[in-house]
Amino acid sequence: DHARKKLAEKNLDLIVVNNISKKGIGFGSSHNQVTVLFANGEKKILPRLTKERLADRLLSLGLKGVTRR
């Protein structure tokens, strides 16, 4: 999986990925749906959310993620 490889190569705590082929999310939309992959192997699938709510969730997960390593 490309995201897992990038996570390891760059020695990241986490990486956020989305499916750009899904309609109604991503660019040109007010919503997005993502998966957060953590360095420890954990995976968190977030539901379709407004980008503002998603940003709040990602910040919260990111702060927790750096201590999970």
Side-chain angles (χ1 to χ4, degrees):
D1 175 59
H2 180 69
R4 284 263 177 227
K5 183 178 175 186
K6 190 179 232 183
L7 181 70
E9 286 176 353
K10 295 185 177 271
N11 195 33
L12 303 172
D13 294 311
L14 60 86
I15 192 166
V16 179
V17 296
N18 68 338
N19 182 346
I20 60 171
S21 66
K22 279 190 167 183
K23 293 203 179 252
I25 62 169
F27 293 113
S29 173
S30 61
H31 289 76
N32 207 343
Q33 182 177 7
V34 301
T35 300
V36 183
L37 304 174
F38 295 91
N40 68 0
E42 187 178 346
K43 175 167 92 171
K44 177 83 172 168
I45 300 170
L46 298 178
R48 182 178 183 269
L49 297 167
T50 64
K51 289 180 179 177
E52 184 176 298
R53 290 201 58 212
L54 185 59
D56 289 339
R57 293 280 295 273
L58 290 173
L59 283 172
S60 183
L61 284 172
L63 293 174
K64 291 177 187 172
V66 295
T67 61
R68 291 183 182 173
R69 210 163 200 212

